[in-house]
Amino acid sequence: MLTIEAEKAGPYNRSAWLYGTRGPCEPTGLFPSRPFRMILLGAPGSGKGTQADMLRHRLEVCPLSTGDMFRAAKDIPEEKHGPALREALAYMRRGELVPDETVVALVSERLACIRCRYGFLLDGFPRTVAQAEALEKILHAERIPLDAVIQLDMPLEEAVARLGGRRTCSICKATFHLAHKPPKVSGICDRCGGELYHREDDRPESARVRLTEYERGTAPLVSYYAKKGLLLPVAAAGPPEEVFEKTLKLLEDQIVRAAATAERSLV
Ligand code: AP5
Ligand code: MG
């Protein structure tokens, strides 16, 4: 079922990420000359999904969201779930947070996506310092360098307001906002005609719990990646296109800086 839906979702077929090892993944054209490997960091509602969508078109990078993976799991027949996904869903059914080891196991089941010649844009992973350390080990073992960690920075109250107005496509997962980015036809996705829905965890009570969890568990990643010289903080208020342009500029500077450092280390 998901394969058909992924086909309807257009050229960026992420079913390998959503399915795990069993997912098909077809190259969508020529591989980019320079694959980008990046992480998107930011509170719920800060615009990670929105920016991921814009970045994938510009940089031909494959966006991989752990949140999307969990939400897609309910459409995948249980016998097709890998062991880590089965374990994660059991935690979620009990209303518990999915532990770091399980999330890391889920990502490890999808190593092909990490190795992909389109590069990757991780959205929602890593979410804790323990997950970041595990990712570092994976990348080190694979000899894959990380280019940048884009941190979308915004006041938490604004994030709650954004989540209240968000609507998500049930098929291609595109996001809309009732005030900032309304669909052309109410309740219908502009891109694929899918039905739009309000995510269960976007209700104000759930959104606040997620924001508190972000402050506790994920915000420490800001200093973690700053110390590694990878952090690119971007003010996430303002129209999405403006945030996007600022992000591209910072990325360009970061790539030039990294290239200069590599050259210096050769002489
Ligand atoms: P996940 O789906 O990753 O949720 P999240 O991190 O809370 O982020 P969101 O998707 O809610 O927000 P976003 O930043 O993508 O914002 P968006 O672009 O849509 O994870 C869900 C859950 O899964 C987690 O709570 C956790 O339980 C679990 N999970 C996931 N990963 C995990 C992990 N690694 N470990 C353990 N558990 C994990 O934008 C929001 C709205 O604002 C949209 O309506 C959009 O149109 C609008 N908008 C965006 N940008 C702008 C702008 N510049 N101006 C105006 N409006 C804007
Ligand atoms: Mg998102």
Side-chain angles (χ1 to χ4, degrees):
M1 172 169 43
L2 193 76
T3 314
I4 296 165
E5 295 202 339
E7 276 167 12
K8 274 201 244 166
Y12 294 95
N13 180 343
R14 274 171 292 160
S15 47
W17 179 253
L18 301 178
Y19 264 124
T21 42
R22 293 169 188 79
C25 180
E26 297 292 328
T28 56
L30 290 178
F31 289 111
S33 51
R34 199 274 190 223
F36 286 90
R37 277 105 181 196
M38 298 174 292
I39 294 172
L40 267 173
L41 194 61
S46 57
K48 299 183 297 295
T50 304
Q51 294 302 319
D53 200 43
M54 298 168 93
L55 286 164
R56 78 179 180 183
H57 288 288
R58 183 68 70 91
L59 303 179
E60 295 178 279
V61 64
C62 197
L64 306 173
S65 151
T66 35
D68 281 353
M69 192 201 288
F70 290 143
R71 282 184 291 277
K74 65 179 181 347
D75 296 330
I76 301 174
E78 264 181 48
E79 63 276 13
K80 292 198 173 171
H81 291 172
L85 186 57
R86 217 169 292 142
E87 198 177 299
L89 293 177
Y91 280 104
M92 289 163 85
R93 268 196 292 276
R94 294 196 295 270
E96 295 170 24
L97 288 178
V98 182
D100 290 333
E101 311 81 71
T102 310
V103 181
V104 171
L106 268 170
V107 173
S108 304
E109 279 178 359
R110 290 156 175 78
L111 262 190
C113 295
I114 299 294
R115 292 179 184 139
C116 180
R117 285 166 63 195
Y118 281 107
F120 58 75
L121 179 56
L122 290 168
D123 164 358
F125 178 85
R127 218 173 184 89
T128 61
V129 170
Q131 290 182 17
E133 287 169 348
L135 175 66
E136 201 171 320
K137 278 196 195 129
I138 294 173
L139 295 180
H140 184 76
E142 295 288 324
R143 301 170 69 88
I144 293 174
L146 192 59
D147 292 308
V149 177
I150 301 161
Q151 181 218 351
L152 298 174
D153 193 21
M154 74 178 309
L156 296 190
E157 276 314 305
E158 195 168 329
V160 177
R162 279 193 186 177
L163 294 175
R166 172 166 60 186
R167 294 296 178 270
T168 305
C169 175
S170 51
I171 296 178
C172 73
K173 313 300 170 207
T175 54
F176 296 84
H177 192 278
L178 295 182
H180 307 300
K181 191 187 165 194
K184 290 188 186 107
V185 179
S186 171
I188 303 292
C189 176
D190 291 355
R191 195 177 292 172
C192 72
E195 200 178 322
L196 301 183
Y197 70 100
H198 193 195
R199 261 170 57 177
E200 199 53 51
D201 61 352
D202 279 353
R203 319 243 165 232
E205 326 73 76
S206 319
R208 281 183 202 283
V209 172
R210 286 161 64 206
L211 285 162
T212 308
E213 186 50 35
Y214 174 82
E215 286 287 279
R216 191 194 63 79
T218 312
L221 286 180
V222 171
S223 56
Y224 179 89
Y225 283 118
K227 280 187 203 134
K228 295 185 184 295
L230 288 169
L231 194 79
L232 304 181
V234 184
E241 296 72 24
E242 202 178 293
V243 179
F244 178 59
E245 290 307 325
K246 279 190 283 192
T247 305
L248 281 184
K249 177 78 186 79
L250 285 171
L251 263 177
E252 201 181 319
D253 294 348
Q254 168 82 352
I255 303 300
V256 171
R257 231 181 357 256
T261 313
E263 248 171 56
R264 270 202 301 277
S265 66
L266 290 178
V267 288

